[in-house]
Amino acid sequence: MGRSRSLAQVYRRFGEVDAAAVSPLSERIVVALSESGEALRAIEAAPARKRHPTVILAALHDLALAGRAPALAAAYAAVDVDAAAGAAIDTLVRMTDAVVELAVRRPARSDETGHGAVLYPAVAEAARRAGAQAVGLIDVGCSAGLDLTVDRVGITYGNGQSLGDPSSPVQLSASIVGDRSVPTHSIPEVVARIGIDRDPIDVTDADDVRWLRACLWPDRPERRARLDAELALAASVPPLLLRGDAVEMLPDAIARVPADALPVVTTTWALSALPLDARLRFLHRLADAATDRPVAWVSVEGVGVAPAIPTLGDRRASGHSIIGLAVFEQSALRTDAIGRCWSRGRLLTWLANT
């Protein structure tokens, strides 16, 4: 009884605090689950680490999208919060095994879109500094590899600047903080797109794509539309996906970039999941790979997370991230903090002299 009460408190708090700010439908569902003894017992059939509301909500959403929970799907489509709450409890109780199977097999994905507004100028700057005419993109913690299409999106900044492809089906926007403009260099030809993830999402696999959609709030159609556009763009140039540990797979990924192209490794809020010793090994692997060729690393990480990238005197957990650029060439290493960003890249300030 104590465990169920604790789980109920977790769900109620998630509904009233986390979900309430962005998804009234999910708020109602999660609070209803917290008040249902049957639902809580069904959730407890999952391993403890797979009972979090984000995972259970995604599993329920996946069943609805797959046509296996039609009443829940209809409630989602109608944005009927009361019907959705009842259908979610019913689906969870009737299909406990299916919900648990999905929760165990699939990690919850946030897959925030829109990183291109930060990554595009940083990747272009890496190529400029290395004098590269072609690049190979390597995204660590890639999930679905959406950041690997950075050269094919269009970006408009709040100061009127634009980068990328104005005719792209994926159009991003970001605000500029401060007076300095982002550089106008273009990303050169991309000759390789490689993603590294422990459990990557294949954008050409219907089940994988459905799970990614299931991880979105069901009553946020604008996010669904944006994700669908990015998935379609990624599927038009499917990346090579390497499954495994980022540190261990990095040399193999770099070796797959043609010799006449600059490998540009990107990490966007991926390194914080690694302990410090693994982050240091990641840095050393980059340096080792640069013995025979230049290698660049673009990082968008919290203050102090990316080793060797200057923190500019900023405090950790300060609410913003540092845009870092490291260029490795034989024994030389140049690292810079080239910008700061907020709101997962939707606001940024450029710092580097270009």
Side-chain angles (χ1 to χ4, degrees):
M1 182 65 71
R3 260 192 335 197
S4 292
R5 187 158 48 243
S6 174
L7 188 63
Q9 291 169 348
V10 168
Y11 269 66
R12 177 170 287 279
R13 177 172 176 77
F14 181 86
E16 294 178 345
V17 176
D18 298 275
V22 287
S23 173
L25 187 71
S26 299
E27 175 192 9
R28 180 70 180 89
I29 290 172
V30 175
V31 171
L33 295 179
S34 77
E35 296 170 344
S36 167
E38 279 189 308
L40 292 171
R41 284 191 291 276
I43 294 167
E44 286 180 336
R49 63 188 178 84
K50 291 293 188 174
R51 296 174 189 168
H52 193 272
T54 54
V55 183
I56 298 301
L57 284 174
L60 289 168
H61 196 185
D62 186 277
L63 293 174
L65 292 173
R68 299 172 64 188
L72 184 58
Y76 283 158
V79 197
D80 186 331
V81 296
D82 292 327
I89 292 172
D90 180 65
T91 302
L92 182 55
V93 172
R94 284 190 308 102
M95 305 180 69
T96 301
D97 289 348
V99 172
V100 170
E101 187 272 333
L102 279 167
V104 169
R105 182 164 57 89
R106 297 281 199 182
R109 301 283 189 175
S110 60
D111 274 279
E112 290 287 342
T113 56
H115 297 162
V118 171
L119 285 178
Y120 190 106
V123 171
E125 177 64 10
R128 187 191 72 84
R129 292 188 181 187
Q133 301 302 307
V135 299
L137 299 175
I138 301 169
D139 192 38
V140 172
C142 69
S143 187
L146 302 183
D147 287 342
L148 290 167
T149 62
V150 61
D151 60 309
R152 305 184 72 215
V153 304
I155 308 158
T156 302
Y157 296 96
N159 63 355
Q161 283 187 278
S162 61
L163 290 174
D165 182 359
S167 66
S168 172
V170 176
Q171 294 295 318
L172 308 175
S173 61
S175 298
I176 298 291
V177 179
D179 298 329
R180 182 171 291 183
S181 301
V182 296
T184 56
H185 313 299
S186 296
I187 294 176
E189 180 187 7
V190 175
V191 296
R193 304 174 197 271
I194 303 167
I196 306 173
D197 197 290
R198 286 190 179 277
D199 190 16
I201 294 283
D202 182 352
V203 293
T204 66
D205 182 276
D207 289 344
D208 277 7
V209 167
R210 187 179 65 245
W211 177 254
L212 207 55
R213 291 177 176 136
C215 291
L216 298 179
W217 305 110
D219 50 347
R220 295 291 299 275
E222 76 287 354
R223 284 196 62 190
R224 167 69 181 266
R226 191 171 64 197
L227 176 63
D228 283 352
E230 292 208 10
L231 286 169
L233 186 62
S236 70
V237 282
L240 170 65
L241 299 176
L242 301 180
R243 183 184 300 268
D245 176 82
V247 178
E248 300 307 318
M249 301 300 295
L250 196 56
D252 181 27
I254 292 172
R256 292 172 183 261
V257 174
D260 57 351
L262 172 72
V264 180
V265 178
T266 59
T267 64
T268 51
W269 300 285
L271 295 187
S272 57
L274 302 179
L276 177 59
D277 66 317
R279 283 180 268 149
L280 292 172
R281 283 191 288 115
F282 175 84
L283 186 70
H284 294 152
R285 288 291 171 91
L286 288 170
D288 290 344
T291 303
D292 301 317
R293 66 192 301 187
V295 174
W297 170 36
V298 169
S299 62
V300 187
E301 305 283 352
V303 178
V305 172
I309 299 299
T311 61
L312 306 172
D314 298 348
R315 297 174 59 183
R316 289 176 181 267
S318 56
H320 69 274
S321 300
I322 300 282
I323 308 167
L325 173 57
V327 178
F328 303 78
E329 191 164 8
Q330 296 179 348
S331 59
L333 168 61
R334 178 183 174 186
T335 63
D336 276 320
I338 59 175
R340 294 185 178 95
C341 69
W342 297 259
S343 299
R344 306 296 274 189
R346 289 175 176 81
L347 294 92
L348 69 103
T349 185
W350 194 261
L351 301 173
N353 292 316
T354 56

